[in-house]
Each structure stands twice: as C-alpha cells, then as structure tokens.
Amino acid sequence: MDTKNSNQLNRRKFLGLSALGLTGLTVLPSWTINGIKIAPSDRVVLGFIGLGQQALSDFAGFASVPGVQVVAGCDVDSMKQERFKRRVEAWQKEQGVAPRCDKYERYEELLERTDIDAVEVVTPDHWHALQTIHAMQAGKDVYVQKPLSFTITESMKMVRVANDTKRVVQVGSQQRSSGEFQKAIELVQSGAIGHIEKIYAKVGDPPKPLDLPAEPVPGNLNFNLWMGPLNDPNIHYHPDLCPPISLDPPEKEKLWGAWRWYTETGNGFTADWGAHMFDIAQAAIGMDGSGPAEIIPKGHNSQEYLTFKYLNGIVMTEQPYLEDMPGAQGIKFIGDNGWIEVARGYLACSDASLVPEELAGRRPRKMTREEMRKMYEEMQKSIEEGKGSFEISSPHMENFIESVRERKDPIAPIEVGASTAILCCLGNMATELKRPVTWNPATLSFGDDKEAWNHRLYHYDYRRPYKL
C-alpha cells in the first residue's frame, strides 16, 4: 500500500496478527517477482474461495501481477484443494518464496486469516453474495467472478455492504479491461455513429429445469456444503454440476460446471455471457448503475427476441450480431449514422478509419470441430503450465490490485456488476413469466407487480442456517 493511511493500516494489521495469522504468513521480508523488488507495504496477499478450473485460470492472471502473493485456497472438493496447493507452491518456489498454501473446506476459516488482504470469490453464482459479503465484513477486498449474484436482492445487499465497509470490489467482467471493448465504448459515447437506436447483443439461451439424474456423491466432495443456501428439493448431485478431477494421474475437468445451465442452480447463458455482453452494452449507452424500464420475453405477441427497452428510447435485443455466425457472442451498436461490431479479439465499424489496426482483430468465423478441439486443448495446456487462461483477465486483475493499493474504485466496481446482474435476472424473469416486466431502474422496483416481487430471481428464502 503506498499511501500514508494504507501503510499505517498495514502496520496495525502486522502488530495485531493472531496466532492463526502468524502461522499462515508466507511472504518474506524482501520479495522479488519478475525481477522487480516489491516493498512490504505494496504487497497484496490473496486467498481464493473456489478452486475449480476458473480459479486456476485466474491464479495464472494474478500470478503475473507484481507484488501479489497467494497463501490459501478453499473448496468443498478436497482434490481441488490439493491441486491448487500444488500449483501455488510450485509457483512460490519459482519466485524464491517459502512454499506454503493452506487448504480449507470452509471459507469462514480462510476469512479469519489476518494476513490476507483480499480474496477472490470464484464459486458457483449462488454462493457469491454470502461469501463476498462475509469477506467485506471481515475487512477483505474482493475480486468476485461474474455474474455478481444469483438474485436481484443479493446484488442490492452486496452494494449496501460494500458502501458500509468501504471495501474495494472488482467484478470479473474482464471485457471492461480489453482494448477492443474500451474503444467500442469510446466510439459510441463520442457519437461516432450518431444517435444509438438499436443494440444486438448475442449471449445465448436462458436456463432450463434440472434434468440430470441423481448419482452417488464421491467421498472427496462435500455436496451439502456446495449447496449452501440453495433450498430447492429438486437439486441433487451429478458430476456435471461439480466436474470431477484426478490428482494421480493428473486429470482435469472434462467440461464446464453445468450448474450454470439449470434454473435451480444458475441463470443460463443469459447471465453467463450476459454479464459480459450486456455489461458492455450498458456501459456504452451510459446505463452503468441503471437499467431497462421494460423487458419483453421472446415469443410474447410474436416478439422474435428477448428485448430490453430503455427510457432513452434505445432498444437492446438478444439476437445474433453477425448474420452468418448466429451463435457467436458479441455486440452490434446501430446508430443513425453507422454501426459498430465488437467481440473478443474483433472490432469493426461502418467507418473503418475509426478502428485502430491493432484493435481490429479478426472477424469471427465458423470453426471446424477439429479446430475447436485443438483450441480447447491448447487453452487447457496453457492453464496446466500456469501461462494462460480460459478468459484473458490479467489486465483486469492488475487493475484490481492497483485499486486495492490506492483505495480507489476499480474499472468494474460492485455497483456496475449489480446493475448488469439485475438486468440478466430481469431477462430470465420475463422469460419465465412469459410476459413483459416493468422495472423502475431509479427505485429498483416493480411497482404493483406482485408476481414479479415474489419471483425467485428477486429473492428466495435461504436454506437454514444460511441468512442473507
């Protein structure tokens, strides 16, 4: 920490270390990473809550940021705890740091560590609210994966606690830190294509009811703890929900955690990719911290696409942004004086002179099954080697660490993550109700719509003993 107050805080923290904190402390008095000597007051010590494949990817990103040390990991799967410990300790040895990464099954124990400055919450969405809130109340800054929350009420509560505790919270919508998306936002806001009339944002389908058969829970997994606050009696263990791994011989997850795709445990592509594409769309049209006023589901009165209408007249639809690539995630802004297309690694404009060559990238194209298999294998290999990630996040993580040091808002603060998560919930809510939903983004309310107020995506009763 490089400010006077931050240094004083670190000194008080050091003098007040508990026995638990002292036994967990692994950073050395002097420490060098990538040839850069880091002052003790500038180090940021991290713990991870959730240790699946996204955590491994994110660890690779944080490990590239000078001054970061990782000392602990928590997961309900003991094999994933051990895998993370091995990965971190191998990295520590490479950096000349005494290797030690402590393992926990219950995140509350990790939060008791007084030597930990910040945590990443990289668990399934239904755990984000409680773990982020408890981390902030324990005095930790938080990098929480997107979407911010599972329900609307959770997002609102998380924002209130962040304001009360004055903690730095970065939401893992890392496209905010990518050059092509930043340029797209700049062009829209500068009026480069005139007044924005329509936005096409392709994210994918909403969730579906859980249809996986029940299977026996493996001994290395505490599935009851994985469930946490979820109280739906239809939820049961299936390996697709919690993809298994092997340590000896090493065998990684064969698929992405399928909890995302089911109404009982996730919010589908609407939230998984909506937390990226809808997020950028709202940023570009000045709706950060706000949202749509009317949400119309696909199929209502022959409505072809899920539609979000804003009070400023802009209409955003969940639909293909490229006619020849209907499944590709991305965004198209349509103004009265041109258009802009943007996706990961791609930026184009009706006026090509407005797009810097280094940001143009390559237009998405259809890939053969063999090309997709090879790409996935290369991504997996890079993660195993600690060199890459499923989602390139290092600049986003660097922004978070800088914000922790300087006590300033990051590029994707919690208020932004909340407005995006709420939009995603509203989209699924209208889809499930099979009718339009009216939302007041200023008062965060549904008016007299009792059905919306009582919807599970606004709020649900946590399973005992959990409380929001």
Side-chain angles (χ1 to χ4, degrees), residues 160-172:
R160 287 197 295 270
V161 174
N163 289 332
D164 290 343
T165 59
K166 310 299 182 187
R167 305 319 304 173
V168 174
V169 181
Q170 174 90 297
V171 182

Side-chain angles (χ1 to χ4, degrees), residues 25-27 43-47 67-71 115-119:
L25 195 61
T26 62
V27 291
R43 296 190 195 118
V44 177
V45 181
L46 292 180
V68 169
Q69 182 56 287
V70 178
V71 299
D115 60 321
I116 291 178
D117 301 304
V119 299

Side-chain angles (χ1 to χ4, degrees), residues 37-106:
K37 190 169 184 179
I38 305 300
S41 60
D42 281 337
R43 296 190 195 118
V44 177
V45 181
L46 292 180
F48 277 66
I49 302 174
L51 305 176
Q53 58 185 352
Q54 185 64 54
L56 295 184
S57 171
D58 290 355
F59 165 68
F62 276 116
S64 69
V65 181
V68 169
Q69 182 56 287
V70 178
V71 299
C74 171
D75 200 274
V76 296
D77 186 326
S78 61
M79 285 192 183
K80 291 177 182 177
Q81 292 175 30
E82 180 60 26
R83 177 179 66 176
F84 187 76
K85 175 182 173 68
R86 294 180 185 182
R87 183 69 55 82
V88 171
E89 291 185 351
W91 168 73
Q92 289 170 334
K93 289 179 182 178
E94 291 176 358
Q95 305 305 322
V97 176
R100 181 165 182 175
C101 180
D102 295 322
K103 302 182 296 183
Y104 299 94
E105 182 180 71
R106 296 184 177 274

Side-chain angles (χ1 to χ4, degrees), residues 425-436:
C425 288
L426 291 170
N428 282 338
M429 185 183 294
T431 297
E432 291 181 20
L433 293 176
K434 299 180 180 179
R435 62 167 175 82

Side-chain angles (χ1 to χ4, degrees), residues 76 105-108 126-127 129-131 134 154 222-231 459-468:
V76 296
E105 182 180 71
R106 296 184 177 274
Y107 73 92
E108 296 91 342
H126 68 271
W127 262 118
L130 282 181
Q131 290 169 342
H134 292 161
E154 288 174 334
N222 186 336
F223 188 68
N224 182 61
L225 193 54
W226 182 92
M227 287 271 295
L230 291 176
N231 66 3
H459 172 75
Y460 73 95
D461 293 328
Y462 280 5
R463 185 171 64 127
R464 294 181 178 178
Y466 301 99
K467 294 181 181 179
L468 182 61

Side-chain angles (χ1 to χ4, degrees), residues 98-397:
R100 181 165 182 175
C101 180
D102 295 322
K103 302 182 296 183
Y104 299 94
E105 182 180 71
R106 296 184 177 274
Y107 73 92
E108 296 91 342
E109 296 179 50
L110 183 148
L111 294 180
E112 290 176 359
R113 291 274 295 266
T114 55
D115 60 321
I116 291 178
D117 301 304
V119 299
E120 177 175 14
V121 173
V122 59
T123 48
D125 300 348
H126 68 271
W127 262 118
H128 286 186
L130 282 181
Q131 290 169 342
T132 299
I133 288 171
H134 292 161
M136 291 188 289
Q137 291 172 336
K140 316 301 183 190
D141 298 316
V142 184
Y143 184 106
V144 54
Q145 267 300 340
K146 57 78 197 170
L148 179 66
S149 69
F150 189 39
T151 69
I152 292 173
T153 299
E154 288 174 334
S155 273
M156 294 191 295
K157 177 69 172 180
M158 294 164 84
V159 170
R160 287 197 295 270
V161 174
N163 289 332
D164 290 343
T165 59
K166 310 299 182 187
R167 305 319 304 173
V168 174
V169 181
Q170 174 90 297
V171 182
S173 299
Q174 79 275 1
Q175 290 180 173
R176 294 254 174 172
S177 296
S178 296
E180 66 271 27
F181 291 99
Q182 291 177 341
K183 186 63 177 180
I185 292 171
E186 175 193 321
L187 290 172
V188 169
Q189 293 186 346
S190 69
I193 58 172
H195 172 70
I196 302 299
E197 299 172 338
K198 295 184 289 186
I199 303 172
Y200 300 158
K202 181 60 181 176
V203 302
D205 294 332
K208 63 180 182 177
L210 182 64
D211 58 2
L212 298 172
E215 293 193 17
V217 180
N220 56 287
L221 175 67
N222 186 336
F223 188 68
N224 182 61
L225 193 54
W226 182 92
M227 287 271 295
L230 291 176
N231 66 3
D232 193 317
N234 294 323
I235 302 173
H236 48 255
Y237 171 76
H238 185 279
D240 284 4
L241 296 178
C242 312
I245 66 167
S246 172
L247 294 174
D248 301 305
E251 185 175 342
K252 51 189 173 285
E253 297 92 335
K254 289 185 169 61
L255 50 78
W256 206 248
W259 51 265
R260 294 167 173 80
W261 319 131
Y262 300 104
T263 55
E264 295 86 350
T265 54
N267 275 316
F269 283 99
T270 308
D272 195 50
W273 273 95
H276 290 306
M277 300 306 174
F278 292 153
D279 181 69
I280 295 298
Q282 289 215 136
I285 61 174
M287 285 294 160
D288 275 345
S290 185
E294 185 180 14
I295 304 90
I296 306 171
K298 178 181 178 180
H300 178 77
N301 289 344
S302 301
Q303 186 79 30
E304 190 173 1
Y305 304 107
L306 173 63
T307 300
F308 302 89
K309 293 186 175 181
Y310 293 85
L311 291 174
N312 59 10
I314 296 175
V315 176
M316 177 168 67
T317 48
E318 193 289 309
Q319 70 175 86
Y321 80 108
L322 297 175
E323 291 184 3
D324 59 334
M325 285 287 290
Q329 282 93 358
I331 312 167
K332 185 168 187 173
F333 297 95
I334 301 172
D336 58 10
N337 193 35
W339 54 263
I340 294 168
E341 294 174 345
V342 63
R344 294 185 183 180
Y346 169 65
L347 176 62
C349 181
S350 51
D351 182 351
S353 68
L354 297 176
V355 178
E357 184 177 350
E358 66 272 16
L359 295 179
R362 186 172 67 177
R363 189 179 189 276
R365 62 180 179 83
K366 292 183 179 180
M367 299 178 69
T368 66
R369 182 166 297 183
E370 178 61 24
E371 286 176 323
M372 293 181 68
R373 182 192 64 79
K374 184 177 180 181
M375 180 182 71
Y376 183 75
E377 287 179 350
E378 289 175 350
M379 291 165 66
Q380 288 278 17
K381 182 180 179 182
S382 69
I383 289 174
E384 289 298 317
E385 295 174 348
K387 298 177 181 178
S389 64
F390 283 96
E391 300 180 309
I392 304 303
S393 306
S394 295
H396 204 56
M397 291 160 177

